[in-house]
């Protein structure tokens, strides 16, 4: 059997036989949904952490620093297992919700530092100008500082989202519902690792490539008004 015949044979039993392509389609859907909701949760918590670190209250700064230090200093997989098997051990909760919480918490620590750096990159004179116009601190942050900071932090936030998409592969430790789980399920039926694993590698690459292109277009659009 030549390489082409082998490829066709492996492709058919990986995707066509028994409509196994649906496993991969469901895996893609789960991966993207988990990543989207996780990054939204991470962004929300990250903003609060960043503002906490920039506040004048020492205790709040210390709490935010401790949170970020612990989350960044422990593996995502360990956090996922602790949240599922320890924190929610006695609660009947959907595993996808647990995954969103775990990935969101993990992402928030990195997002917080990204946002804090973006805010600090905006010239202090912008804040002073806003206050001199009679704006409150919140209004100045919302209408003057944050719009400028977003342009600076968008590439890093996009990179964090891309990393999060790939990190969701560890959800297999609590639930077999994502792309990696689809590949392993097919492998168990075909007794072949090559085609299923190479397939999800290609799928992940295509997803990341599309996201990269979309984020680059969004970044260029936001910077269209900049004068260089």
């Amino acid at each position: 059997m030549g390489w082409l015949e082998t490829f066709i044979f492996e492709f058919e039993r990986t995707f066509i036989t028994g409509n196994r392509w649906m496993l991969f389609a469901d895996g893609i859907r789960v991966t993207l949904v988990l990543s989207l909701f996780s990054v939204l949760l991470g962004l929300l918590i990250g903003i609060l952490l960043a503002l906490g670190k920039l506040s004048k209250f020492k205790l709040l700064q210390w709490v935010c620093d401790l949170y970020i230090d612990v989350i960044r200093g422990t593996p995502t997989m360990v956090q996922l297992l602790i949240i599922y098997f320890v924190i929610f051990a006695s609660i009947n909760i959907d595993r996808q919700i647990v995954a969103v919480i775990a990935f969101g918490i993990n992402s928030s620590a990195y997002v917080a530092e990204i946002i804090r750096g973006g805010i600090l990159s905006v010239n202090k004179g912008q804040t002073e100008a806003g206050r001199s116009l009679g704006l409150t601190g919140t209004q100045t942050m919302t209408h003057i500082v944050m719009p400028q900071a977003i342009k600076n932090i968008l590439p890093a936030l996009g990179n964090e989202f891309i990393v999060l998409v790939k990190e969701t592969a560890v959800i297999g430790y609590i639930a077999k519902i994502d792309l990696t789980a689809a590949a392993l399920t097919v492998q168990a039926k075909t007794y072949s690792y090559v085609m299923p694993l190479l397939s999800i590698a290609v799928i992940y690459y295509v997803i990341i490539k599309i996201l990269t292109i979309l984020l680059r277009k969004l970044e260029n659009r936001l910077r269209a008004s900049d004068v260089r």
Side-chain angles (χ1 to χ4, degrees):
M1 184 181 294
W3 69 267
L4 181 58
E5 290 80 6
T6 301
F7 176 83
I8 294 174
F9 173 73
E10 291 290 341
F11 184 87
E12 286 183 346
R13 69 175 186 159
T14 298
F15 291 99
I16 308 302
T17 304
N19 290 325
R20 290 170 185 161
W21 64 269
M22 295 180 65
L23 293 172
F24 292 93
D26 287 340
I28 293 173
R29 178 186 60 80
V30 170
T31 295
L32 292 178
V33 169
L34 286 179
S35 300
L36 177 60
F37 282 102
S38 297
V39 79
L40 291 176
L41 178 60
L43 185 61
L44 176 62
I45 301 175
I47 291 173
L48 297 177
L49 290 171
L51 295 178
K53 289 196 66 172
L54 293 173
S55 71
K56 298 179 180 179
F57 300 100
K58 297 297 182 181
L59 179 59
L60 183 57
Q61 291 179 13
W62 180 83
V63 171
C64 292
D65 273 329
L66 179 62
Y67 174 96
I68 293 173
D69 187 53
V70 171
I71 297 301
R72 293 176 68 181
T74 53
T76 307
M77 183 187 71
V78 174
Q79 295 167 15
L80 177 65
L81 294 176
I82 290 175
I83 291 175
Y84 182 70
F85 289 109
V86 178
I87 297 177
F88 291 111
S90 59
I91 302 176
N92 185 19
I93 185 172
D94 189 279
R95 298 181 182 186
Q96 293 189 49
I97 296 177
V98 175
V100 168
I101 294 173
F103 294 131
I105 288 175
N106 179 267
S107 180
S108 67
Y110 298 93
V111 170
E113 291 299 283
I114 292 171
I115 293 176
R116 185 178 68 88
I119 292 174
L120 292 177
S121 69
V122 178
N123 193 294
K124 190 176 181 180
Q126 299 290 320
T127 302
E128 295 173 349
R131 298 307 296 271
S132 67
L133 291 174
L135 299 178
T136 64
T138 302
Q139 290 174 329
T140 301
M141 178 65 69
T142 303
H143 299 294
I144 296 179
V145 177
M146 286 304 295
Q148 298 179 68
I150 287 174
K151 292 182 180 181
N152 298 328
I153 66 179
L154 185 61
L157 283 178
N159 185 64
E160 173 60 24
F161 179 57
I162 288 173
V163 170
L164 192 59
V165 170
K166 293 184 289 185
E167 282 188 344
T168 56
V170 302
I171 193 180
Y173 284 93
I174 66 169
K176 299 186 181 301
I177 53 177
D178 69 326
L179 263 175
T180 305
L184 294 177
T185 299
V186 172
Q187 178 273 322
K189 296 179 179 181
T190 62
Y191 299 101
S192 173
Y193 281 102
V194 179
M195 182 59 72
L197 293 181
L198 288 180
S199 297
I200 65 169
V202 172
I203 292 172
Y204 270 117
Y205 176 80
V206 171
I207 291 174
I208 298 305
K209 193 66 177 178
I210 292 174
L211 290 174
T212 301
I213 293 173
L214 293 176
L215 289 168
R216 186 177 297 121
K217 287 183 177 295
L218 177 59
E219 180 185 351
N220 292 336
R221 191 166 186 176
L222 288 174
R223 293 186 180 276
S225 60
D226 290 354
V227 178
R228 296 293 181 186

